[in-house]
Amino acid sequence: MKILVPVKRVIDYNVKVRVKADGSGVELASVKMAMNPFDEIAVEEAVRLKEAGVATEVVAVSCGATASQEQLRTALALGADRALLVDTDAELQSLAVAKLLKAVCDREQPGLVILGKQAIDDDANQTGQMLAALMGWPQATFASKVVVADGKATVTREIDGGLETLALRLPAVVTTDLRLNEPRYATLPNIMKAKKKPLDVLKPADLNVDVAPRLTTLKVVEPARRQAGVKVADVAELVAKLKNEAKVI
């Protein structure tokens, strides 16, 4: 079975995000970039399934600028067998990415697609669901455990107030949650080996996909700074402030 793992290039989660002076977006110049953490979990799960003998090949795919090859090489160093980049400088929104991934799925015919539940830059949490809808495949989101056997995937997913277990017929789409696994570190020998693994590059036009954005960002602003707390003398003063100043009661 072939597993397809989409990965996204995002600002490293340790970096403080800064908004551009003109409010058109966030500052990316000279900013450390990394693989989306949820996608890193997806790569780890796919590699574990291959190590368990469930999968025969793990293919990493990314949609974005040429610089995304860096994240694909990271996926290769973590254990993916080969990589595919859909190279475009266009602003890619969730639907466009889902359409590109559908075209890649039609080309690669994977038995399972595992990707992060969301990207930490836009927090859209849409691509996996859209891909499943476009493919007509079953889906399981927010996975905290995945077991693949006998042509089906048994997925434990996190829901409000507990856990839910689903059985999916393959092929299927699974999106990963934080508690699914702990990604491994890429060792130096594997980083060197990753440089020799195949990485193919396509354009959206090669897949006959229109990636023109449907949404327009009007303005980006930083969240309001948190105000300093105050001490109150008694409960009566607290209630008065909540009622008259905060206006929450």
Side-chain angles (χ1 to χ4, degrees):
M1 180 180 72
K2 181 188 298 184
I3 300 179
L4 189 73
V5 186
V7 300
K8 186 177 183 180
R9 178 181 172 87
V10 298
I11 297 177
D12 189 279
Y13 69 92
N14 289 312
V15 174
K16 178 177 173 56
V17 178
R18 300 186 183 278
V19 176
K20 292 181 179 178
D22 60 2
S24 61
V26 297
E27 188 60 61
L28 297 179
S30 302
V31 174
K32 182 181 178 182
M33 306 296 284
M35 185 191 303
N36 179 46
F38 291 104
D39 296 338
E40 197 171 359
I41 293 171
V43 173
E44 174 66 22
E45 192 65 20
V47 172
R48 290 188 185 186
L49 288 172
K50 182 187 173 186
E51 291 173 345
V54 175
T56 56
E57 185 181 29
V58 176
V59 181
V61 58
S62 187
C63 305
T66 304
S68 298
Q69 291 189 27
E70 178 185 353
Q71 281 61 53
L72 289 174
R73 290 296 180 192
T74 300
L76 293 172
L78 291 173
D81 298 293
R82 58 187 177 90
L84 173 65
L85 172 64
V86 182
D87 188 4
T88 175
D89 291 324
E91 177 192 351
L92 292 178
Q93 296 172 352
S94 300
L95 182 58
V97 175
K99 288 180 178 179
L100 290 172
L101 292 178
K102 178 187 183 301
V104 172
C105 286
D106 291 339
R107 179 190 181 101
E108 295 288 339
Q109 295 295 308
L112 181 64
V113 178
I114 306 179
L115 66 160
K117 68 174 184 178
Q118 66 195 75
I120 62 171
D121 52 1
D122 57 17
D123 278 330
N125 183 18
Q126 295 175 329
T127 303
Q129 293 89 325
M130 288 179 170
L131 174 61
L134 291 172
M135 295 298 297
W137 289 357
Q139 61 175 298
T141 55
F142 315 121
S144 60
K145 183 179 180 181
V146 178
V147 178
V148 179
D150 301 324
K152 69 177 183 179
T154 303
V155 180
T156 301
R157 60 189 300 266
E158 300 187 0
I159 60 174
D160 292 340
L163 300 174
E164 180 181 51
T165 302
L166 303 175
L168 313 177
R169 289 191 303 272
L170 299 180
V173 176
V174 174
T175 70
T176 63
D177 213 332
L178 280 174
R179 280 159 288 280
L180 179 58
N181 60 51
E182 183 71 28
R184 69 192 70 188
Y185 288 100
T187 62
L188 182 57
N190 286 338
I191 292 174
M192 300 305 294
K193 291 177 183 177
K195 296 180 179 180
K196 298 181 180 180
K197 290 184 178 180
L199 195 161
D200 297 325
V201 180
L202 296 173
K203 295 288 186 180
D206 299 328
L207 300 172
N208 295 317
V209 176
D210 177 17
V211 296
R214 267 64 174 178
L215 305 174
T216 302
T217 301
L218 299 180
K219 189 177 182 181
V220 178
V221 296
E222 292 188 4
R225 294 186 179 274
R226 184 176 178 180
Q227 296 181 349
V230 296
K231 291 183 178 181
V232 295
D234 50 34
V235 175
E237 185 180 355
L238 173 61
V239 171
K241 285 185 175 292
L242 291 174
K243 183 177 180 181
N244 300 322
E245 296 181 16
K247 298 186 185 301
V248 295
I249 59 174

